[in-house]
Amino acid sequence: MKGLYDVDSQLGINFRVIKISESFIEKGIKRGIPTPSNKYRYVFSDGYSNKLSSDESKLLFIEYCPFCGKKLSSVYKDDLQVNESNHDW
């Protein structure tokens, strides 16, 4: 995952650890995204130059590493590991 985590958000497939805002949670629920169990979300994206939450961004929210199966919240669990914060829709 490190290669996908370290890559710039504009370059192809990437993995993002985001710290979310309350409005992100509320609006995400309206779009069918389940309520998170913590303040971080783990996202695969196809690359974006605007906001991650813009309509043109294609996102896949994940909870477990697709390579090893480890729960991401046990690995990425502090603000120093966040790529982006306070996302809002």
Side-chain angles (χ1 to χ4, degrees):
M1 290 284 278
K2 184 166 175 40
L4 297 173
Y5 172 80
D6 288 337
V7 76
D8 184 56
S9 67
Q10 297 174 342
L11 299 174
I13 300 206
N14 57 73
F15 169 68
R16 295 295 189 246
V17 177
I18 61 172
K19 185 174 181 180
I20 55 178
S21 67
E22 285 300 315
S23 71
F24 188 97
I25 294 170
E26 292 168 12
K27 291 177 182 177
I29 291 169
K30 290 178 186 173
R31 291 178 69 176
I33 300 168
T35 304
S37 57
N38 62 33
K39 60 186 173 183
Y40 305 109
R41 294 301 302 245
Y42 312 100
V43 181
F44 273 126
S45 165
D46 66 346
Y48 57 95
S49 55
N50 294 321
K51 290 173 52 174
L52 179 65
S53 58
S54 67
D55 287 338
E56 58 270 0
S57 296
K58 293 174 185 70
L59 311 175
L60 176 64
F61 289 86
I62 60 173
E63 295 289 326
Y64 296 90
C65 175
F67 304 107
C68 70
K70 189 176 260 190
K71 190 162 177 107
L72 293 170
S73 60
S74 69
V75 177
Y76 299 98
K77 56 187 174 185
D78 98 24
D79 285 357
L80 295 175
Q81 297 169 306
V82 169
N83 297 99
E84 301 175 34
S85 34
N86 295 320
H87 275 282
D88 198 3
W89 258 299

XYZ file of all heavy atoms in Angstrom:
724
model
N 0.826 -1.193 0.000
C 0.000 0.000 0.000
C 0.869 1.255 0.000
O 0.405 2.297 -0.390
C -0.899 0.019 1.222
C -1.996 -1.017 1.213
S -3.345 -0.602 0.139
C -4.272 0.475 1.156
N 2.108 1.148 0.465
C 2.951 2.333 0.590
C 3.100 3.082 -0.737
O 3.031 4.299 -0.764
C 4.321 1.957 1.149
C 5.201 3.161 1.383
C 6.386 2.810 2.234
C 7.369 3.925 2.409
N 6.873 5.238 2.603
N 3.270 2.355 -1.836
C 3.413 3.003 -3.140
C 2.175 3.780 -3.533
O 2.269 4.850 -4.129
N 1.012 3.278 -3.197
C -0.239 3.974 -3.505
C -0.480 5.123 -2.530
O -1.098 6.118 -2.872
C -1.413 2.997 -3.462
C -1.372 1.871 -4.492
C -2.493 0.874 -4.223
C -1.482 2.421 -5.892
N 0.006 4.985 -1.302
C -0.162 5.992 -0.258
C 0.738 7.208 -0.523
O 0.341 8.333 -0.320
C 0.168 5.358 1.094
C 0.223 6.294 2.266
C -0.944 6.721 2.892
C 1.436 6.734 2.774
C -0.898 7.574 3.990
C 1.491 7.578 3.860
C 0.331 8.001 4.468
O 0.373 8.834 5.545
N 1.955 6.946 -0.988
C 2.942 8.018 -1.177
C 2.775 8.807 -2.475
O 3.328 9.876 -2.612
C 4.367 7.447 -1.148
C 4.789 7.033 0.253
O 4.217 7.548 1.230
O 5.697 6.188 0.360
N 2.023 8.281 -3.426
C 1.896 8.942 -4.727
C 1.013 10.194 -4.622
O 0.136 10.279 -3.765
C 1.338 7.947 -5.777
C -0.144 7.736 -5.600
C 1.644 8.397 -7.178
N 1.264 11.150 -5.490
C 0.474 12.379 -5.529
C -0.972 12.075 -5.926
O -1.223 11.174 -6.724
C 1.107 13.339 -6.543
C 0.408 14.681 -6.568
O 0.305 15.323 -5.507
O -0.047 15.080 -7.657
N -1.910 12.820 -5.396
C -3.335 12.564 -5.643
C -3.735 12.716 -7.110
O -4.750 12.201 -7.529
C -4.194 13.497 -4.791
O -4.035 14.839 -5.206
N -2.947 13.423 -7.894
C -3.283 13.642 -9.305
C -2.791 12.516 -10.206
O -3.154 12.453 -11.365
C -2.690 14.963 -9.783
C -3.258 16.151 -9.055
C -2.570 17.442 -9.438
O -1.482 17.436 -9.982
N -3.202 18.556 -9.139
N -1.964 11.639 -9.686
C -1.331 10.612 -10.505
C -2.005 9.260 -10.344
O -1.783 8.572 -9.364
C 0.151 10.469 -10.145
C 1.004 11.709 -10.352
C 2.412 11.476 -9.822
C 1.053 12.065 -11.826
N -2.827 8.896 -11.277
C -3.388 7.549 -11.330
C -4.000 7.052 -10.038
O -4.404 7.823 -9.187
N -4.031 5.744 -9.896
C -4.652 5.138 -8.723
C -3.824 5.447 -7.494
O -2.607 5.294 -7.491
C -4.797 3.626 -8.936
C -5.667 3.400 -10.145
C -5.283 2.958 -7.672
C -6.427 2.163 -10.235
N -4.505 5.905 -6.464
C -3.819 6.224 -5.221
C -4.687 5.858 -4.027
O -5.892 5.660 -4.158
C -3.399 7.699 -5.188
C -4.557 8.642 -5.367
O -5.367 8.809 -4.473
N -4.653 9.257 -6.536
N -4.046 5.747 -2.884
C -4.706 5.415 -1.629
C -4.596 6.631 -0.722
O -3.526 7.204 -0.578
C -4.025 4.201 -0.993
C -4.452 3.934 0.412
C -5.742 3.504 0.692
C -3.576 4.092 1.471
C -6.147 3.250 1.992
C -3.965 3.839 2.768
C -5.248 3.410 3.030
N -5.716 7.048 -0.150
C -5.748 8.223 0.696
C -6.287 7.880 2.070
O -7.257 7.133 2.207
C -6.673 9.302 0.106
C -6.193 9.861 -1.209
C -5.020 10.508 -0.987
N -4.145 11.320 -1.641
C -2.899 10.957 -1.957
N -2.477 9.779 -1.789
N -2.051 11.803 -2.447
N -5.632 8.435 3.086
C -6.152 8.404 4.456
C -6.675 9.807 4.686
O -5.919 10.777 4.613
C -5.047 8.064 5.479
C -5.597 8.114 6.892
C -4.424 6.711 5.174
N -7.972 9.922 4.924
C -8.554 11.247 5.109
C -9.162 11.364 6.500
O -9.677 10.397 7.056
C -9.605 11.581 4.028
C -10.772 10.610 4.045
C -8.969 11.619 2.660
C -11.904 11.012 3.124
N -9.028 12.536 7.056
C -9.684 12.867 8.326
C -10.929 13.651 7.946
O -10.850 14.661 7.251
C -8.767 13.699 9.207
C -9.321 13.965 10.571
C -8.300 14.670 11.430
C -8.847 14.930 12.816
N -7.845 15.608 13.652
N -12.061 13.180 8.369
C -13.312 13.725 7.872
C -13.964 14.717 8.817
O -13.742 14.705 10.019
C -14.297 12.586 7.541
C -14.496 11.686 8.748
C -13.807 11.791 6.369
C -15.486 10.583 8.534
N -14.792 15.576 8.239
C -15.563 16.549 9.004
C -16.946 15.968 9.294
O -17.364 14.981 8.684
C -15.713 17.846 8.202
O -16.512 17.611 7.063
N -17.656 16.575 10.197
C -19.019 16.126 10.525
C -19.940 16.227 9.306
O -20.755 15.347 9.071
C -19.598 16.943 11.683
C -19.022 16.572 13.030
C -19.258 15.116 13.398
O -20.389 14.606 13.210
O -18.311 14.481 13.874
N -19.800 17.287 8.507
C -20.675 17.408 7.340
C -20.337 16.346 6.294
O -21.202 15.906 5.559
C -20.628 18.812 6.749
O -19.410 19.059 6.122
N -19.086 15.911 6.228
C -18.714 14.824 5.327
C -19.480 13.557 5.717
O -20.026 12.863 4.866
C -17.207 14.573 5.414
C -16.674 13.599 4.393
C -16.092 14.056 3.227
C -16.741 12.233 4.608
C -15.580 13.166 2.291
C -16.238 11.339 3.686
C -15.656 11.809 2.518
N -19.542 13.290 7.014
C -20.268 12.116 7.512
C -21.749 12.242 7.169
O -22.350 11.315 6.611
C -20.076 11.954 9.027
C -18.614 11.639 9.341
C -20.994 10.864 9.574
C -18.267 11.689 10.817
N -22.340 13.388 7.467
C -23.779 13.588 7.227
C -24.122 13.461 5.751
O -25.074 12.782 5.372
C -24.209 14.951 7.750
C -24.160 15.063 9.260
C -24.307 16.494 9.746
O -24.666 17.381 8.941
O -24.051 16.722 10.940
N -23.358 14.119 4.903
C -23.645 14.075 3.473
C -23.288 12.719 2.880
O -23.933 12.270 1.944
C -22.925 15.204 2.764
C -23.513 16.553 3.145
C -22.776 17.690 2.512
C -23.384 19.022 2.977
N -22.662 20.157 2.461
N -22.283 12.058 3.438
C -21.942 10.714 2.999
C -23.064 9.736 3.279
O -23.368 8.868 2.450
N -23.703 9.864 4.423
C -24.832 9.004 4.767
C -25.945 9.178 3.739
O -26.550 8.202 3.290
C -25.328 9.298 6.197
C -24.281 8.838 7.207
C -26.676 8.632 6.464
C -24.530 9.302 8.629
N -26.188 10.416 3.312
C -27.210 10.681 2.294
C -26.859 10.031 0.966
O -27.741 9.685 0.187
C -27.398 12.184 2.099
C -28.055 12.865 3.284
C -28.165 14.356 3.061
C -28.690 15.034 4.316
N -28.659 16.484 4.207
N -25.553 9.864 0.685
C -25.106 9.225 -0.567
C -24.929 7.715 -0.404
O -24.451 7.048 -1.294
C -23.782 9.848 -1.017
C -23.946 11.285 -1.491
C -22.651 11.913 -1.898
N -22.102 11.334 -3.127
C -21.015 11.789 -3.718
N -20.353 12.810 -3.206
N -20.575 11.226 -4.808
N -25.280 7.186 0.766
C -25.210 5.742 0.982
C -23.901 5.235 1.542
O -23.647 4.034 1.559
N -23.036 6.141 2.010
C -21.765 5.733 2.600
C -21.994 5.494 4.087
O -22.479 6.384 4.788
C -20.683 6.815 2.375
C -20.473 7.030 0.877
C -19.389 6.432 3.064
C -19.658 8.251 0.534
N -21.663 4.315 4.593
C -21.927 4.010 6.004
C -21.201 4.951 6.958
O -20.148 5.494 6.640
C -21.394 2.586 6.175
C -21.192 2.061 4.809
C -21.025 3.223 3.889
N -21.766 5.123 8.143
C -21.153 5.943 9.179
C -19.825 5.318 9.592
O -19.772 4.123 9.883
C -22.073 6.041 10.409
O -23.334 6.544 9.983
C -21.493 6.937 11.469
N -18.752 6.085 9.603
C -17.457 5.516 9.969
C -17.367 5.213 11.462
O -18.017 5.855 12.280
C -16.472 6.626 9.584
C -17.265 7.874 9.636
C -18.669 7.498 9.260
N -16.530 4.234 11.794
C -16.328 3.882 13.196
C -15.272 4.767 13.853
O -15.117 4.754 15.055
C -15.925 2.413 13.306
O -14.756 2.182 12.535
N -14.542 5.538 13.055
C -13.558 6.478 13.600
C -13.525 7.724 12.725
O -14.295 7.839 11.781
C -12.174 5.817 13.711
C -11.610 5.387 12.373
O -11.835 6.017 11.351
N -10.865 4.302 12.361
N -12.639 8.656 13.035
C -12.605 9.930 12.314
C -11.810 9.871 11.015
O -11.645 10.869 10.341
C -12.051 11.021 13.214
C -10.639 10.763 13.700
C -10.191 11.803 14.693
C -8.848 11.422 15.285
N -8.418 12.360 16.294
N -11.313 8.687 10.654
C -10.544 8.519 9.433
C -11.304 7.633 8.453
O -12.035 6.734 8.846
C -9.189 7.877 9.727
C -8.395 8.625 10.756
C -8.211 8.109 12.023
C -7.850 9.868 10.478
C -7.495 8.803 12.989
C -7.135 10.580 11.430
C -6.957 10.032 12.682
O -6.262 10.730 13.629
N -11.114 7.914 7.175
C -11.664 7.061 6.112
C -10.504 6.687 5.206
O -9.538 7.443 5.055
C -12.736 7.791 5.295
C -13.992 8.128 6.037
C -14.714 6.937 6.621
N -15.072 5.950 5.632
C -16.304 5.620 5.285
N -17.322 6.199 5.870
N -16.529 4.711 4.379
N -10.619 5.537 4.571
C -9.570 4.986 3.727
C -10.152 4.833 2.330
O -11.170 4.173 2.148
C -9.097 3.658 4.313
C -8.826 3.814 5.799
C -9.758 3.399 6.738
C -7.680 4.451 6.243
C -9.543 3.590 8.092
C -7.447 4.646 7.596
C -8.385 4.213 8.515
O -8.171 4.427 9.850
N -9.493 5.460 1.365
C -10.092 5.628 0.048
C -9.094 5.290 -1.060
O -7.946 5.744 -1.026
C -10.544 7.101 -0.146
C -11.202 7.307 -1.487
C -11.448 7.549 0.970
N -9.560 4.532 -2.051
C -8.846 4.402 -3.316
C -9.473 5.407 -4.261
O -10.694 5.555 -4.313
C -9.008 3.005 -3.924
C -8.010 2.011 -3.443
C -8.429 0.820 -2.897
C -6.651 2.241 -3.559
C -7.519 -0.124 -2.461
C -5.730 1.311 -3.125
C -6.169 0.124 -2.574
N -8.640 6.091 -5.028
C -9.116 7.070 -6.004
C -8.396 6.844 -7.326
O -7.282 6.314 -7.347
C -8.836 8.480 -5.490
O -8.965 9.422 -6.521
N -9.013 7.280 -8.401
C -8.368 7.168 -9.714
C -7.568 8.414 -10.058
O -7.152 8.597 -11.186
C -9.407 6.884 -10.797
C -10.381 8.036 -10.996
O -10.435 8.939 -10.136
O -11.087 8.026 -12.008
N -7.334 9.266 -9.097
C -6.608 10.509 -9.310
C -7.577 11.672 -9.418
O -8.659 11.534 -9.979
N -7.229 12.793 -8.852
C -8.105 13.968 -8.863
C -7.257 15.208 -8.667
O -6.185 15.155 -8.072
C -9.174 13.860 -7.764
C -8.587 13.685 -6.386
C -8.384 14.781 -5.560
C -8.208 12.444 -5.926
C -7.823 14.634 -4.314
C -7.650 12.281 -4.681
C -7.457 13.383 -3.872
O -6.882 13.226 -2.638
N -7.746 16.322 -9.192
C -7.011 17.570 -9.017
C -7.802 18.573 -8.196
O -7.231 19.511 -7.671
C -6.635 18.163 -10.375
O -7.789 18.328 -11.161
N -9.099 18.379 -8.098
C -9.909 19.245 -7.255
C -10.048 18.600 -5.882
O -9.137 17.943 -5.417
C -11.279 19.480 -7.900
C -11.165 20.253 -9.191
O -10.373 21.175 -9.302
N -11.919 19.850 -10.196
N -11.201 18.758 -5.276
C -11.449 18.116 -3.990
C -11.702 16.624 -4.194
O -12.314 16.223 -5.173
C -12.671 18.748 -3.319
C -12.429 20.157 -2.830
C -13.677 20.830 -2.323
C -14.411 20.017 -1.302
N -15.549 20.719 -0.709
N -11.252 15.828 -3.264
C -11.506 14.399 -3.297
C -12.997 14.116 -3.364
O -13.436 13.181 -4.024
C -10.904 13.749 -2.049
C -11.075 12.253 -1.891
C -10.335 11.506 -2.983
C -10.577 11.812 -0.535
N -13.789 14.949 -2.727
C -15.230 14.717 -2.660
C -16.001 15.330 -3.828
O -17.212 15.338 -3.815
C -15.770 15.260 -1.341
O -15.472 16.631 -1.220
N -15.302 15.827 -4.849
C -16.016 16.410 -5.993
C -16.740 15.315 -6.765
O -16.378 14.137 -6.714
C -15.050 17.158 -6.903
O -14.159 16.270 -7.514
N -17.762 15.692 -7.510
C -18.580 14.724 -8.239
C -17.794 13.945 -9.290
O -18.140 12.820 -9.616
C -19.778 15.418 -8.901
C -20.834 15.824 -7.895
O -20.861 15.237 -6.790
O -21.626 16.724 -8.198
N -16.744 14.540 -9.842
C -15.985 13.831 -10.875
C -14.981 12.820 -10.310
O -14.427 12.021 -11.038
C -15.270 14.802 -11.821
C -14.308 15.759 -11.180
C -14.949 17.074 -10.736
O -16.151 17.266 -10.928
O -14.230 17.893 -10.169
N -14.760 12.841 -9.003
C -13.849 11.873 -8.388
C -14.521 10.516 -8.262
O -15.664 10.417 -7.842
C -13.428 12.341 -6.992
O -12.706 13.526 -7.059
N -13.793 9.493 -8.651
C -14.274 8.124 -8.484
C -13.583 7.561 -7.248
O -12.356 7.501 -7.200
C -13.969 7.304 -9.721
C -14.754 7.774 -10.925
C -14.320 7.020 -12.162
C -15.002 7.557 -13.383
N -14.546 8.877 -13.757
N -14.374 7.170 -6.261
C -13.834 6.755 -4.977
C -14.276 5.354 -4.610
O -15.386 4.948 -4.926
C -14.318 7.699 -3.868
C -14.175 9.190 -4.104
C -14.810 9.953 -2.958
C -12.725 9.555 -4.246
N -13.411 4.650 -3.921
C -13.751 3.364 -3.336
C -13.319 3.410 -1.879
O -12.119 3.484 -1.584
C -13.037 2.223 -4.077
C -13.228 0.830 -3.503
C -14.713 0.423 -3.599
C -12.350 -0.166 -4.232
N -14.286 3.435 -0.978
C -14.002 3.440 0.449
C -13.729 2.000 0.881
O -14.494 1.094 0.541
C -15.190 4.001 1.234
C -15.367 5.477 1.052
C -16.087 5.975 -0.020
C -14.801 6.374 1.940
C -16.248 7.344 -0.202
C -14.954 7.745 1.773
C -15.677 8.226 0.693
N -12.635 1.789 1.603
C -12.278 0.448 2.037
C -12.001 0.442 3.536
O -11.705 1.478 4.123
C -11.065 -0.104 1.253
C -9.828 0.782 1.449
C -11.393 -0.236 -0.222
C -8.562 0.214 0.837
N -12.099 -0.708 4.155
C -11.821 -0.871 5.587
C -10.633 -1.794 5.827
O -10.016 -1.749 6.871
C -13.051 -1.445 6.300
C -14.256 -0.524 6.297
C -14.085 0.685 7.200
O -13.426 0.556 8.254
O -14.600 1.750 6.843
N -10.340 -2.658 4.851
C -9.280 -3.653 4.999
C -8.305 -3.547 3.842
O -8.686 -3.230 2.720
C -9.884 -5.067 5.019
C -10.772 -5.295 6.204
C -12.130 -5.011 6.137
C -10.255 -5.755 7.403
C -12.956 -5.198 7.238
C -11.072 -5.948 8.513
C -12.415 -5.669 8.428
O -13.226 -5.831 9.511
N -7.038 -3.841 4.089
C -6.016 -3.827 3.050
C -6.338 -4.918 2.027
O -6.530 -6.080 2.396
C -4.646 -4.070 3.665
S -3.330 -4.206 2.432
N -6.387 -4.564 0.736
C -6.695 -5.569 -0.283
C -5.543 -6.556 -0.506
O -5.724 -7.579 -1.154
C -6.955 -4.732 -1.535
C -6.230 -3.463 -1.307
C -6.237 -3.231 0.170
N -4.378 -6.272 0.037
C -3.217 -7.133 -0.162
C -3.005 -8.122 0.985
O -2.737 -9.293 0.749
C -1.957 -6.288 -0.368
C -2.091 -5.326 -1.512
C -2.235 -3.970 -1.272
C -2.114 -5.776 -2.819
C -2.379 -3.073 -2.327
C -2.258 -4.892 -3.888
C -2.390 -3.542 -3.635
N -3.144 -7.644 2.228
C -2.878 -8.526 3.373
C -4.116 -8.795 4.228
O -4.092 -9.671 5.084
C -1.775 -7.952 4.245
S -2.246 -6.464 5.178
N -5.192 -8.032 4.036
C -6.420 -8.242 4.789
C -6.466 -7.564 6.151
O -7.447 -7.669 6.873
N -5.413 -6.838 6.516
C -5.369 -6.175 7.817
C -6.353 -5.009 7.868
O -6.528 -4.305 6.883
C -3.952 -5.667 8.086
C -3.735 -5.141 9.493
C -2.297 -4.741 9.713
C -1.620 -5.852 10.461
N -0.281 -5.488 10.928
N -6.985 -4.821 9.001
C -7.901 -3.698 9.184
C -7.094 -2.399 9.126
O -6.137 -2.222 9.884
C -8.655 -3.829 10.496
C -9.765 -2.836 10.627
C -10.749 -3.259 11.693
C -11.801 -2.191 11.848
N -13.067 -2.540 11.310
N -7.453 -1.497 8.214
C -6.674 -0.266 8.007
C -6.646 0.633 9.230
O -5.659 1.310 9.478
C -7.204 0.477 6.788
C -6.984 -0.255 5.464
C -7.746 0.427 4.346
C -5.511 -0.362 5.138
N -7.711 0.620 10.019
C -7.750 1.479 11.210
C -6.745 1.028 12.266
O -6.409 1.790 13.171
C -9.158 1.521 11.801
O -9.574 0.226 12.186
N -6.215 -0.189 12.150
C -5.184 -0.634 13.089
C -3.791 -0.183 12.649
O -2.849 -0.216 13.429
C -5.215 -2.162 13.252
O -4.781 -2.799 12.070
N -3.666 0.263 11.395
C -2.381 0.709 10.861
C -2.342 2.233 10.729
O -1.400 2.882 11.177
C -2.105 0.062 9.491
C -0.807 0.574 8.895
C -2.095 -1.455 9.600
N -3.373 2.796 10.101
C -3.448 4.238 9.866
C -4.401 4.813 10.905
O -5.607 4.840 10.713
C -3.961 4.525 8.456
C -3.058 3.971 7.376
C -3.335 2.747 6.765
C -1.930 4.672 6.970
C -2.510 2.236 5.770
C -1.097 4.165 5.976
C -1.387 2.960 5.388
O -0.567 2.465 4.420
N -3.846 5.261 12.031
C -4.711 5.645 13.133
C -4.306 6.933 13.827
O -4.756 7.201 14.926
C -4.801 4.508 14.139
C -3.462 4.039 14.665
C -3.614 2.810 15.515
C -2.254 2.282 15.909
N -2.347 1.048 16.633
N -3.472 7.716 13.197
C -3.166 8.994 13.835
C -2.992 10.095 12.803
O -2.811 9.830 11.622
C -2.021 8.824 14.833
C -0.643 9.195 14.397
O -0.467 9.999 13.482
O 0.296 8.692 15.035
N -3.099 11.324 13.269
C -3.116 12.484 12.375
C -1.843 12.626 11.537
O -1.861 13.236 10.478
C -3.366 13.765 13.155
C -4.814 13.912 13.592
O -5.644 13.046 13.236
O -5.115 14.889 14.297
N -0.734 12.055 11.994
C 0.516 12.140 11.226
C 0.453 11.314 9.948
O 1.233 11.533 9.027
C 1.700 11.674 12.082
C 2.008 12.550 13.292
C 3.114 11.921 14.131
C 2.400 13.955 12.858
N -0.473 10.375 9.863
C -0.603 9.512 8.689
C -1.675 9.999 7.713
O -1.890 9.387 6.679
C -0.935 8.095 9.131
C 0.168 7.479 9.969
C -0.275 6.194 10.617
O -1.282 6.158 11.307
N 0.468 5.140 10.382
N -2.312 11.094 8.013
C -3.405 11.614 7.192
C -2.848 12.319 5.962
O -1.948 13.142 6.062
C -4.280 12.581 8.030
C -5.261 13.338 7.172
C -4.997 11.819 9.127
N -3.382 11.960 4.775
C -3.010 12.662 3.545
C -3.767 13.982 3.426
O -3.242 14.968 2.937
C -3.355 11.845 2.296
C -2.606 10.547 2.211
O -3.154 9.521 2.566
N -1.375 10.584 1.753
N -5.040 13.961 3.830
C -5.903 15.128 3.683
C -6.863 15.183 4.858
O -7.220 14.160 5.420
C -6.683 15.028 2.379
C -5.764 14.936 1.184
C -6.505 14.715 -0.102
O -7.613 15.231 -0.235
O -5.961 14.026 -0.964
N -7.310 16.400 5.207
C -8.210 16.503 6.345
C -9.392 17.429 6.099
O -9.383 18.196 5.161
C -7.482 16.937 7.608
O -6.462 17.801 7.372
N -10.358 17.270 6.983
C -11.570 18.103 7.008
C -12.276 18.163 5.664
O -12.659 19.217 5.192
C -11.242 19.503 7.510
C -10.790 19.463 8.943
O -11.339 18.722 9.746
N -9.779 20.234 9.265
N -12.473 17.006 5.076
C -13.192 16.960 3.812
C -14.651 17.296 4.023
O -15.261 16.927 4.997
C -13.060 15.590 3.164
C -11.808 15.503 2.362
N -11.696 16.069 1.128
C -10.623 14.965 2.645
C -10.493 15.870 0.672
N -9.810 15.206 1.573
N -15.186 17.999 3.082
C -16.563 18.445 3.132
C -17.169 18.247 1.746
O -16.476 18.287 0.746
C -16.582 19.932 3.502
C -17.932 20.375 3.995
O -18.834 19.526 4.103
O -18.077 21.571 4.269
N -18.461 18.021 1.696
C -19.159 17.923 0.408
C -19.858 19.200 0.124
O -20.297 19.912 0.949
C -20.176 16.782 0.430
C -19.698 15.579 -0.276
C -19.359 15.475 -1.595
C -19.484 14.288 0.266
N -18.964 14.206 -1.897
C -19.040 13.460 -0.768
C -19.622 13.752 1.525
C -18.741 12.121 -0.578
C -19.325 12.428 1.701
C -18.889 11.624 0.659
